[in-house]
Amino acid sequence: MIPFSDEDLYPAVENVIEKVRPSLALDGGDIKLLGVKNGKVYVQLQGACVGCASSGSTIKYGVERQMRMDIHPEIEVINVPVGLEGQWEQME
């Protein structure tokens, strides 16, 4: 259980997103923070990342790994598919 409220997590999560954004941009991609709910971070990979075969690895070993190091070891990052960004709050 992550000992922070979603509101407390949000600014820390934003900082990590800004930290990983330049490396995604090198490959023509980007990342958008959709929100934080129940300690889970919902993002959407954009640009060249959309449909890229390694986008799952980017989330797990790039974004999530950085958040686990900087914020909390149990934080989970979920990539919301393009077209479903308006429904991220209903996802589990």
Side-chain angles (χ1 to χ4, degrees):
M1 179 94 182
I2 297 176
F4 308 106
S5 71
D6 293 342
E7 293 76 26
D8 291 341
L9 279 174
Y10 200 89
V13 166
E14 281 183 313
N15 287 340
V16 174
I17 295 286
E18 290 309 313
K19 189 187 275 191
V20 300
R21 180 169 272 134
S23 60
L24 294 175
L26 290 174
D27 292 326
D30 198 6
I31 186 168
K32 179 180 179 182
L33 174 60
L34 299 177
V36 179
K37 183 178 142 197
N38 301 327
K40 293 181 181 175
V41 177
Y42 293 84
V43 299
Q44 186 174 69
L45 291 176
Q46 300 179 319
C49 293
V50 176
C52 173
S54 59
S55 61
S57 296
T58 298
I59 289 290
K60 285 287 172 207
Y61 303 111
V63 182
E64 186 175 84
R65 183 172 170 268
Q66 191 66 53
M67 288 197 190
R68 287 181 171 189
M69 289 190 310
D70 291 2
I71 303 170
H72 192 274
E74 292 177 29
I75 204 160
E76 186 178 350
V77 179
I78 297 163
N79 183 33
V80 177
V82 172
L84 297 178
E85 55 275 2
Q87 300 166 14
W88 72 267
E89 291 186 70
Q90 286 79 47
M91 297 179 169
E92 283 301 318

